Amino acid sequence: MEKPAITDYPIHDLIARRWSPRSFDARPLSDEQVRTLLEAARWAPSCFNEQPWRYLVAGREQKDAFDTMLGCLAEMNQQWAKNAAVLMISVAATQFARNGKPNRHAFHDVGLASAQLTLQATAMDLAVHQMAGFDRDRARQVYAIPDEYEPVAALAIGYPGEPAALPETFRERELAKRSRKSPAQIAYADTWGESL
Ligand SMILES: Cc1cc2nc3c(=O)[nH]c(=O)nc-3n(C[C@H](O)[C@H](O)[C@H](O)COP(=O)(O)O)c2cc1C
């Protein structure tokens, strides 16, 4: 299903077409496709070019590995993310490699990398649904993530499926209108809160 953004101003088709479905069809992703998505993430900009992003990756074909990652997701997310072709967990390096100081831009830069991955996926007719709903401690333990790295978000990736394939609660949300704050609510001029 397509659910393009209804925009106030024209934007690039890729940005308008990107959305976060919960229904995924059964088609798997090739190794090449997964590596292309990660390549898009790899070329994101970052503070001091530190590239603080890391990705844990599990394809549905590798059942044990996939189930292990699925088990890190919140129950609610597991219900639909189990049909994704690939699951990922993004992780941030929280210290600068150059001097060991805290990198307060790490999450920002991981978000940039995931945004690039997501738009690359859209260009490949794939969909990405990102999730805050996962157990960070469990992920840290299962994957032996070192202390100086912080799990950021989980990602469900695959070909979008039909809303009809979803249980009722998710189906409603799948079909719901997409909404955003108005342009005036997000951009200010001169003083805080004064719309541009
Ligand atoms: C960091 C982040 C965390 C999210 N966490 C969840 C989640 O745990 N479960 C879920 O169903 N959707 C989650 N979402 C999806 C958002 O609800 C969705 O992006 C938002 O409603 C806008 O819809 P759109 O992506 O289709 O434009 C998350 C999105 C992001 C970027």
Side-chain angles (χ1 to χ4, degrees), residues 3 18-22 74 77 80 128-134 152-153 173 178-180:
K3 217 170 151 182
R18 182 220 59 83
W19 72 292
S20 306
R22 291 185 177 82
N77 287 330
W80 54 267
V128 180
H129 196 132
Q130 300 172 75
M131 292 163 275
F134 74 105
V152 177
R173 285 196 239 171
R178 297 180 66 199
S179 71
R180 287 299 188 270

Side-chain angles (χ1 to χ4, degrees), residues 124-147:
M124 294 159 70
D125 291 327
L126 298 169
V128 180
H129 196 132
Q130 300 172 75
M131 292 163 275
F134 74 105
D135 188 334
R136 288 182 293 281
D137 294 335
R138 183 164 178 166
R140 185 180 288 290
Q141 195 202 334
V142 164
Y143 295 104
I145 299 171
D147 288 346

Side-chain angles (χ1 to χ4, degrees), residues 22 24-25 27 58-60 66 80-87 155-159:
R22 291 185 177 82
F24 291 96
D25 83 15
R27 270 179 289 172
R60 208 177 47 221
F66 188 84
W80 54 267
K82 64 175 188 223
N83 295 318
V86 173
L87 294 175
L155 299 88
I157 307 170
Y159 287 96

Side-chain angles (χ1 to χ4, degrees), residues 103-120:
N103 178 359
R104 71 176 294 273
H105 307 287
F107 273 50
H108 173 275
D109 293 349
V110 173
L112 283 175
S114 290
Q116 294 205 175
L117 182 156
T118 299
L119 290 174
Q120 179 66 43

